[in-house]
Amino acid sequence: MNNNDIEYNAPSEVKYIDVVNTYDLEEEASKVVPHGGFNYIAGASGDEWTKRANDRAWKHKLLYPRLAQDVEAPDTSTEILGHKIKAPFIMAPIAAHGLAHATKEAGTARAVSEFGTIMSISAYSGATFEEISEGLNGGPRWFQIYMAKDDQQNRDILDEAKGDGATAIILTADSTVSGNRDRDVKNKFVYPFGMPIVQRYLRGTAEGMSLNNIYGASKQKISPRDIEEIAAHSGLPVFVKGIQHPEDADMAIKAGASGIWVSNHGARQLYEAPGSFDTLPAIAERVNKRVPIVFDSGVRRGEHVAKALASGADVVALGRPVLFGLALGGWQGAYSVLDYFQKDLTRVMQLTGSQNVEDLKGLDLFDNPHGYEY
């Protein structure tokens, strides 16, 4: 990618892909996605210690194999906020899918809809609501907002999202400034296309802007009052995303949040924050089933989905693996990743004696606090 003239040639091939494991997809995607765009998707803050911690955290809780549990053909379907979905995972809100594939968010949306789960649309999407809606073809969608400094602009964006069919709002509250994303700084990365949903408060287009400049145009001073106002104006359930501390979960619920989203933004924000999975049990204990919990950051296997559910999540959200699949095969590649996760989870359910998602939520986990390797 040449950041001086903003020329960007994203992959455009559409094909189903073989997924042995989602870790391999990152290396394969690096071969087809332009350098700056790939590193924006794959990168994290600082030297990426927290990204590694997200992966290591899974070893701190282990699954017990269970025998003779009278299980055959486990049922992965579940329900959240009235939506029946094929498996206990949804698409996380991620900016700029056009970095991965020429079809942008519309390609991801088609994969999500064809599979049968929920699309989370980022305010920093490179596609319009209309383009994404065409890909969704009537499928359910939630909308994730990065707040503008101007409250009227926020109300206008919420109105558009609701008019587009959003059934929940996701307030990302952990990104009032950009994390220290070393890869992007070294690459002098800027967005090669616009962000039509938020262009009104970027004073033009995001094309040619760095992430620091885009975040700088958004609201930094977020308070519980913002949660109250989003819920009141939209009339929709509000998830607060970026929760890593039990007290913040409690604050969000008291302010009117209808859901808690446990996430460290894929390790892209605060450097040397804990692995996201390590924070989930204490947050779930504080929430105490008052509202549903969505979990993301570092989910790469069916075992990870199962452990998150057993630790208090109601569903997980998938991020980078789906974008890598999109890069490798467009909507069909992204669909292949979603299909892999369902098949992998089904295998885990059979081996843990779990007939359905409620059984997964009731699993006992083996405590392995030091995460030692065998």
Side-chain angles (χ1 to χ4, degrees), residues 69-190:
Q69 298 295 304
D70 198 28
V71 172
E72 184 179 16
D75 179 10
T76 64
S77 68
T78 191
E79 183 173 326
I80 185 166
L81 295 185
H83 293 294
K84 294 182 178 180
I85 54 178
K86 189 174 180 179
F89 48 80
I90 65 175
M91 183 64 205
I94 301 180
H97 295 209
L99 297 173
H101 197 267
T103 57
K104 300 183 178 180
E105 284 77 5
T108 310
R110 180 171 179 186
V112 170
S113 179
E114 294 274 355
F115 177 79
T117 190
I118 299 167
M119 174 77 176
S120 298
I121 299 172
S122 172
Y124 289 170
S125 168
T128 65
F129 279 126
E130 291 77 14
E131 290 168 334
I132 301 169
S133 187
E134 184 175 348
L136 281 171
N137 193 30
R141 77 287 315 258
W142 295 348
F143 176 70
Q144 174 256 357
I145 187 169
Y146 287 96
M147 297 188 72
K149 298 180 190 297
D150 185 302
D151 287 336
Q152 185 56 51
Q153 290 177 337
N154 291 322
R155 289 190 285 268
D156 291 344
I157 291 171
L158 290 169
D159 289 345
E160 289 182 16
K162 188 172 180 179
D164 180 63
T167 57
I169 302 299
I170 306 160
L171 170 61
T172 292
D174 65 353
S175 302
T176 51
V177 297
S178 174
N180 54 327
R181 304 185 191 182
D182 289 2
R183 293 200 210 189
D184 293 346
V185 175
K186 291 175 181 177
N187 291 328
K188 295 181 172 60
F189 177 76
V190 295

Side-chain angles (χ1 to χ4, degrees), residues 20-23 298-306 340-341 344:
V20 177
N21 68 74
T22 67
Y23 291 96
V299 180
R300 297 293 185 272
R301 298 186 184 276
E303 285 87 353
H304 300 167
V305 178
Y340 160 83
F341 269 103
D344 203 37

Side-chain angles (χ1 to χ4, degrees), residues 12 46 57 59-60 64 146 168 174 214 226 243-244 257 280 286 342 372:
S12 58
K59 304 297 193 298
H60 296 162
Y64 287 102
Y146 287 96
D174 65 353
I214 291 170
D226 292 298
I243 300 290
Q244 287 283 273
L280 175 60
R286 181 70 67 91
Q342 186 193 22
Y372 57 82

